[in-house]
């Protein structure tokens, strides 16, 4: 451990050796935050003598948890029979609920539903209530309510606008259904954990005393619920150490509250703040651009990155007439880099919005360059991929009614909701799974339950499933060809909106499946399904291809040669209602600091977008980063809010923003406080 500590810089060592009381480690991009956090855990256990069972380290992704667990375990020289608990927030919630959910009158054999399951339940309830609202919007609102600890009854009381009244009713019915069926959604893992700890003082004290030393990674990404949960967990001792970077808070759109990190020292008294400002990733010119850009933000604690690597080549600004010329030029430059021996996995192109990837794909394809396109949606969350996975689950377990319901009419087999409801009822009465019911009855018998046409379709469906299950036992590799021949998922999706893209995604999945079989001859279908359920988009990076991805997806990654396209007003930064310029600027900061030594920022004079060619101005970020001449005024406005945001006023309580207009250095908000509508300046309210 002594040698490990000697390898740290002064700031890192100061953070590691702080033991008691709250601590904020403000870790700039590439400053060794993971190294600092894992070393501190090792130091507490191996040097201070803290029992590993008295520590709790929380992350946001399984991938981060796995990496940190491996690094921390390697540093723990004092080995004991117990191991430190290092996991995601939601894994912690799951473990807690398995032991304590009975305090809410629930059994601990609850089933966790994923986001797709949740949407299906919401869609059915909305249909029953004759509510014609976007299901994704309803789902997002319910998630938002849960993560701000607002119950269905509270929303019903507060809702004023018709749409929100309807959503409140759906929220109430949804909560009733999942509770009655002992289901738990992703948000419940934390919300229910908080409710139990908040209402049970004895358990709260016991839990807090068990986890005497709590650490949190990526604290800038925490939301209101996570903050309140951490307050309870640290309530008995205050030993909460958080690591994060306010300048990399880019997930406000999904609930992250930047105030959690900005106001940490106010919320937890006597906080020790340590700034990690030595960057080990990027050269000085790259960090100079990043520092100058982010200094225009008002909502930040403040720090300045310095490069451990020192000088390097200047940041390049690349100007093209349009997106076709831009992508062609980047492709040719990349080709030169590859010819010089640069590894393709050290090259990446980033963009702010997914629509900009099309021209890149064309340019790279024409030059014959291998690339991996990663968008904003997880690959395995796409409808066409989830359908195939549901089929695979049926091959593994044909009595999985949930998966059967998803795919029994994909491709179309004239089997609608009414038919499915009749099958479910008959299966329940006969104590069968739906598949068993179909399999054991002939067409005539099935025709007494559903229509003759549906009965014939169902029998063919069951026969195809059985044929494919037999093929699986013969050859996992050749199974895909027969699957396509009998089921025809590619033909089915080719005729849907975005058909070509969906077919390409299916081909990608098949290719991955075959590759997995080749690399692991002993692979079983069950193991494959378990593995992919835990994968994230970053796990799918192809090491032998240039990466094309959104800036959001790039966070946490780094590349030797980096291009960022779309540096134009309206594209980056996004403009218009709901735009948060400070978060846009933080995205710019994240993009720039992904580069290690070679950074090129690109802009064009016009782009073809949303059906028409449009002339556009270069991004203000280029001048703010000190890279081109132009106005570069420091921004001193108050935080912005968008329509639909929940806010809290110290006198009027909680309300919802209906509109936002610029007023001097801040914004004037029209807010509905439970039916009373008022205009309030933005500096007098805070996000809920």
């Amino acid at each position: 451990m002594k040698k490990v500590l000697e390898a740290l810089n002064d700031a890192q060592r100061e953070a590691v050796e702080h033991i008691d009381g709250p601590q904020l480690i403000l870790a700039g991009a590439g400053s060794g935050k993971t190294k600092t956090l894992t070393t501190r855990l090792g130091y507490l256990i191996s040097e201070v003598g803290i029992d590993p069972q008295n520590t709790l380290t929380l992350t946001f992704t399984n991938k981060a948890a796995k990496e940190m667990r491996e690094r921390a375990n390697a540093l723990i020289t004092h080995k004991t029979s117990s191991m430190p608990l290092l996991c995601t927030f939601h894994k912690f919630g799951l473990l807690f609920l398995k032991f304590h959910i009975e305090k809410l009158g629930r059994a601990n054999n609850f089933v966790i539903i994923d986001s797709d399951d949740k949407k299906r339940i919401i869609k059915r309830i909305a249909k029953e209530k004759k509510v014609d609202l976007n299901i994704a919007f309803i789902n997002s609102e319910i998630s938002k309510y849960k993560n701000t600890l607002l119950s269905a009854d509270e929303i019903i009381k507060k809702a004023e606008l018709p749409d929100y009244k309807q959503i409140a009713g759906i929220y109430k019915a949804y909560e009733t259904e999942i509770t009655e069926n002992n289901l738990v959604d992703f948000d419940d893992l934390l919300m229910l954990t908080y409710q139990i700890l908040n209402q049970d003082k004895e358990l709260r004290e016991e839990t807090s005393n068990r986890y005497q030393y709590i650490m949190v990674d990526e604290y800038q990404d925490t939301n209101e619920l996570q903050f309140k949960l951490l307050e309870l967990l640290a309530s008995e001792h205050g030993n909460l150490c958080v690591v994060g970077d306010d300048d990399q808070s880019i997930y406000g759109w999904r609930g992250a509250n930047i105030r959690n990190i900005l106001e940490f020292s106010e919320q937890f008294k006597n906080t020790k703040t340590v700034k990690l400002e030595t960057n080990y990733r990027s050269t000085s010119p790259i960090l100079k651009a990043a520092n100058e850009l982010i200094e225009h933000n008002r909502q930040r604690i403040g720090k300045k990155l310095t490069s451990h690597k020192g000088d390097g080549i200047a940041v390049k600004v690349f100007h093209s007439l349009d997106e076709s010329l831009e992508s062609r030029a980047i492709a040719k430059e990349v080709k030169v880099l590859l010819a010089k021996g640069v590894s393709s996995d050290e090259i990446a192109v980033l963009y702010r919005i997914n629509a900009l990837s099309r021209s890149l794909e064309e340019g790279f394809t024409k030059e014959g360059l291998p690339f991996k396109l990663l968008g904003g949606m997880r690959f395995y969350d796409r409808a066409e991929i989830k359908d195939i996975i549901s089929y695979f689950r049926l091959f593994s377990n044909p009595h999985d009614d949930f998966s059967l319901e998803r795919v029994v009419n994909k491709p179309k087999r004239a089997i609608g909701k009414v038919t499915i409801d009749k099958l479910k009822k008959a299966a329940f009465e006969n104590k069968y799974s739906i598949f068993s019911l179909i399999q054991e009855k002939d067409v005539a018998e099935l025709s007494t339950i559903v229509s003759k046409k549906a009965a014939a379709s169902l029998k063919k469906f069951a026969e195809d499933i059985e044929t494919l299950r037999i093929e699986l036992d013969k050859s996992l590799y050749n199974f895909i060809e027969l699957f396509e021949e009998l089921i025809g998922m590619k033909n089915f999706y080719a005729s849907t909106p975005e058909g070509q893209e969906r077919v390409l995604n299916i081909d990608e999945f098949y290719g991955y499946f075959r590759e997995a079989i080749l690399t692991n001859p002993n692979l079983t279908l069950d193991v494959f399904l378990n593995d992919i359920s835990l994968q994230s988009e970053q796990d799918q990076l192809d090491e032998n291809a240039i990466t094309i991805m959104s800036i959001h997806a790039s966070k946490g990654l780094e590349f030797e040669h980096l291009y960022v396209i779309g540096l134009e007003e309206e594209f980056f930064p996004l403009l218009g209602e709901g735009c948060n310029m400070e978060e846009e600027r933080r995205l710019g900061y994240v993009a720039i600091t992904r580069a290690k030594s070679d950074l090129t920022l690109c802009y064009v004079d016009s782009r073809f977008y949303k059906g028409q060619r449009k002339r556009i101005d270069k991004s203000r970020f280029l001048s703010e980063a000190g890279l081109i001449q132009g106005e570069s005024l420091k921004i001193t406005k108050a935080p912005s809010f968008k329509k639909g945001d929940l806010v809290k006023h110290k006198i009027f309580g909680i309300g919802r923003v209906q509109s936002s207009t610029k007023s001097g250095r801040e914004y004037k908000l029209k807010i509905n406080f439970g039916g009373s509508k008022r205009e309030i300046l933005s500096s007098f309210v805070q996000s809920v």
Side-chain angles (χ1 to χ4, degrees):
M1 181 56 77
K2 185 179 179 183
K3 287 184 178 180
V4 174
L5 291 175
E6 288 173 352
L8 302 175
N9 63 39
D10 291 343
Q12 290 172 332
R13 184 159 184 167
E14 183 183 359
V16 165
E17 294 181 335
H18 174 75
I19 299 171
D20 295 318
Q23 177 174 215
L24 169 61
I25 304 174
L26 200 65
S31 63
K33 73 173 180 67
T34 302
K35 179 181 181 180
T36 304
L37 196 64
T38 52
T39 303
R40 184 172 187 268
L41 180 57
Y43 178 79
L44 287 173
I45 295 169
S46 295
E47 293 293 316
V48 181
I50 304 301
D51 188 332
Q53 291 184 104
N54 292 139
T55 69
L56 171 63
T57 306
L58 298 170
T59 70
F60 278 84
T61 66
N62 290 315
K63 181 180 178 182
K66 181 175 182 291
E67 179 191 350
M68 291 175 67
R69 194 180 301 115
E70 290 171 352
R71 290 171 67 168
N73 288 342
L75 294 171
I76 298 172
T77 55
H78 181 74
K79 301 298 182 182
T80 67
S81 58
S82 61
M83 297 296 291
L85 180 55
L86 200 165
C87 60
T88 64
F89 272 94
H90 292 89
K91 179 64 177 294
F92 173 78
L94 171 60
L95 295 172
F96 182 87
L97 291 179
K98 283 293 182 183
F99 284 101
H100 303 296
I101 198 170
E102 76 278 354
K103 291 184 178 293
L104 296 175
R106 304 266 302 264
N108 71 352
N109 63 342
F110 58 84
V111 173
I112 302 171
I113 57 173
D114 65 17
S115 59
D116 192 63
D117 302 333
K118 180 183 173 185
K119 286 177 185 175
R120 288 168 66 182
I121 295 171
I122 291 171
K123 184 177 181 180
R124 179 172 46 73
I125 294 171
K127 187 174 181 180
E128 289 169 358
K129 289 182 173 290
K130 296 182 170 56
V131 174
D132 187 21
L133 290 175
N134 182 277
I135 300 303
F137 173 62
I138 300 172
N139 176 56
S140 173
E141 283 296 299
I142 291 175
S143 183
K144 197 182 297 180
Y145 298 148
K146 290 194 176 191
N147 281 286
T148 48
L149 295 169
L150 290 168
S151 69
D153 288 335
E154 287 176 294
I155 297 299
I156 287 171
K157 288 177 184 176
K158 294 176 183 295
E160 291 293 328
L161 299 175
D163 285 357
Y164 291 101
K165 281 182 176 293
Q166 291 180 323
I167 292 172
I170 293 171
Y171 182 21
K172 177 79 171 178
Y174 169 76
E175 283 293 273
T176 300
E177 175 158 337
I178 65 171
T179 302
E180 287 178 351
N181 289 282
N182 206 21
L183 304 175
V184 168
D185 67 27
F186 202 57
D187 299 315
D188 288 332
L189 293 173
L190 297 188
M191 186 184 77
L192 299 180
T193 296
Y194 172 82
Q195 287 176 354
I196 293 168
L197 288 171
N198 191 49
Q199 71 186 24
D200 191 322
K201 183 174 182 291
E202 186 178 340
L203 180 59
R204 177 171 70 250
E205 291 174 353
E206 177 190 321
T207 305
S208 182
N209 283 322
R210 176 177 182 179
Y211 301 113
Q212 287 281 329
Y213 293 89
I214 301 171
M215 291 190 282
V216 183
D217 188 25
E218 302 285 9
Y219 187 68
Q220 77 281 347
D221 294 337
T222 54
N223 60 26
E224 180 72 11
L225 175 54
Q226 287 160 333
F227 162 70
K228 286 184 174 294
L229 183 58
L230 289 169
E231 268 192 319
L232 297 183
L233 291 172
S235 58
E236 293 301 301
H237 47 73
N239 297 329
L240 176 62
C241 172
V242 302
V243 182
D245 184 1
D246 54 331
D247 292 332
Q248 295 188 75
S249 179
I250 59 173
Y251 296 114
W253 50 276
R254 71 180 188 197
N257 188 352
I258 192 174
R259 293 173 190 266
N260 289 351
I261 191 168
L262 294 178
E263 299 171 3
F264 183 83
S265 58
E266 298 170 27
Q267 293 155 342
F268 297 93
K269 301 302 179 187
N270 303 315
T271 291
K272 178 181 181 63
T273 300
V274 179
K275 296 182 181 181
L276 306 185
E277 298 175 293
T278 302
N279 175 287
Y280 294 89
R281 176 189 300 152
S282 309
T283 57
S284 294
I286 291 169
L287 296 183
K288 180 176 181 293
N291 285 329
E292 291 198 20
L293 173 64
I294 204 63
E295 279 177 5
H296 287 74
N297 270 6
R298 181 173 181 261
Q299 279 190 296
R300 64 190 299 259
I301 298 170
K303 65 181 179 310
K304 193 165 189 176
L305 294 178
T306 58
S307 174
H308 185 263
K309 293 170 76 170
D311 289 338
I313 59 176
V315 176
K316 293 167 283 195
V317 177
F318 188 67
H319 170 218
S320 303
L321 293 175
D322 60 34
E323 71 276 10
S324 296
L325 293 172
E326 173 187 67
S327 61
R328 201 176 308 162
I330 292 173
K332 286 182 177 177
E333 275 199 18
V334 167
K335 209 167 186 178
V336 171
L337 289 173
L338 294 175
K340 289 180 178 178
V342 173
S343 175
S344 57
D345 63 349
E346 281 292 351
I347 306 170
V349 187
L350 308 182
Y351 47 77
R352 170 67 181 89
I353 56 176
N354 292 330
L356 299 192
S357 70
R358 180 188 59 82
S359 59
L360 284 172
E361 293 177 72
E362 290 180 0
F364 277 40
T365 299
K366 286 176 182 175
E367 291 293 330
L369 293 171
F371 66 89
K372 177 76 175 180
L373 177 65
L374 297 177
M377 179 186 286
R378 284 184 70 238
F379 182 75
Y380 294 108
D381 282 341
R382 299 178 187 276
E384 60 273 22
I385 304 304
K386 292 202 78 169
D387 286 345
I388 295 172
I389 290 171
S390 291
Y391 267 111
F392 280 24
R393 285 175 177 164
L394 276 181
F395 302 142
S396 177
N397 174 19
H399 308 298
D400 178 355
D401 283 354
F402 196 81
S403 294
L404 184 144
E405 281 186 57
R406 180 182 179 97
V407 298
V408 71
N409 202 39
K410 291 180 181 177
K412 300 292 185 184
R413 297 186 178 93
I415 301 165
K417 184 180 180 302
V418 173
T419 299
I420 292 171
D421 287 344
K422 289 177 180 177
L423 286 171
K424 287 168 71 175
K425 183 173 183 292
F428 178 78
E429 290 171 350
N430 288 279
K431 297 182 180 179
Y432 281 163
S433 68
I434 296 175
F435 187 83
S436 294
L437 180 77
I438 298 168
Q439 196 173 43
E440 294 191 18
K441 293 186 181 296
D442 59 26
V443 173
E445 290 172 315
L446 276 175
S447 297
T448 64
I449 302 170
V450 299
S451 71
K452 191 172 182 179
K453 183 178 180 182
S457 291
L458 288 166
K459 288 301 290 183
K460 175 67 166 61
F461 170 77
E463 288 166 7
D464 288 344
I465 297 297
E466 273 304 302
T467 301
L468 288 163
R469 292 188 75 211
I470 293 168
E471 181 63 26
L472 271 173
D473 292 333
K474 295 179 182 176
S475 169
L476 206 59
Y477 187 84
N478 295 323
F479 158 76
I480 289 294
E481 289 182 16
L482 183 60
F483 174 70
E484 264 303 315
E485 181 184 329
L486 292 180
I487 305 298
M489 293 303 287
K490 287 167 69 172
N491 286 337
F492 169 61
Y493 270 108
S495 60
T496 65
E498 302 174 337
Q500 185 178 3
E501 181 181 342
R502 290 176 184 272
V503 170
L504 289 173
N505 289 334
I506 291 171
D507 281 333
E508 178 74 18
F509 179 80
Y510 290 165
Y512 174 70
F513 180 68
R514 287 183 172 123
E515 184 183 15
I517 296 163
L518 290 174
T519 54
N520 182 3
N522 298 318
L523 184 74
T524 65
L525 187 61
D526 284 345
V527 170
F528 177 78
L529 290 171
N530 288 337
D531 286 346
I532 63 173
S533 69
L534 299 174
Q535 287 194 18
S536 68
E537 192 169 57
Q538 287 185 4
D539 295 325
Q540 299 160 29
L541 287 174
D542 185 341
E543 293 182 359
N544 299 311
I546 300 128
T547 307
I548 300 175
M549 67 200 310
S550 69
I551 297 168
H552 280 101
S554 76
K555 190 168 179 290
L557 302 177
E558 57 184 42
F559 302 93
E560 200 69 47
H561 304 273
L562 184 74
Y563 298 84
V564 185
I565 67 167
L567 268 294
E568 303 108 21
E569 297 289 289
E570 293 189 53
F571 290 91
F572 194 19
L574 291 179
L575 301 177
E577 185 180 357
C579 170
N580 184 328
M581 189 56 69
E582 297 223 341
E583 185 154 316
E584 290 294 305
R585 200 172 279 111
R586 292 194 292 269
L587 266 173
Y589 176 85
V590 167
I592 290 171
T593 54
R594 298 311 94 199
K596 293 200 256 185
S597 61
D598 180 15
L599 172 64
T600 305
L601 304 180
C602 309
Y603 73 96
V604 299
D605 292 333
S606 76
R607 284 194 188 276
F608 191 80
Y609 184 59
K610 291 184 177 178
Q612 60 181 353
R613 179 151 299 281
K614 189 173 184 179
R615 291 197 63 80
I616 38 182
D617 297 324
K618 58 181 174 288
S619 171
R620 69 190 72 184
F621 292 168
L622 293 170
S623 58
E624 289 179 357
L627 298 172
I628 61 172
Q629 291 184 342
E631 292 186 8
S632 182
L633 301 175
K634 291 288 187 291
I635 306 298
T636 57
K637 70 178 182 63
S640 63
F641 296 88
K642 62 183 182 298
K643 182 179 179 181
D645 282 353
L646 281 175
V647 295
K648 185 177 182 180
H649 189 275
K650 62 183 179 181
I651 296 173
F652 304 120
I654 293 175
R656 188 173 292 280
V657 176
Q658 294 186 312
S659 66
S660 172
T661 55
K662 194 81 169 67
S663 178
R665 289 187 173 183
E666 55 182 308
Y667 287 84
K668 184 183 290 184
L669 308 177
K670 183 177 286 186
I671 307 171
N672 184 336
F673 294 101
S676 174
K677 298 175 183 178
R678 299 177 182 274
E679 287 193 339
I680 303 287
L681 291 174
S682 56
S683 58
F684 286 82
V685 297
Q686 64 183 39
S687 296
V688 173

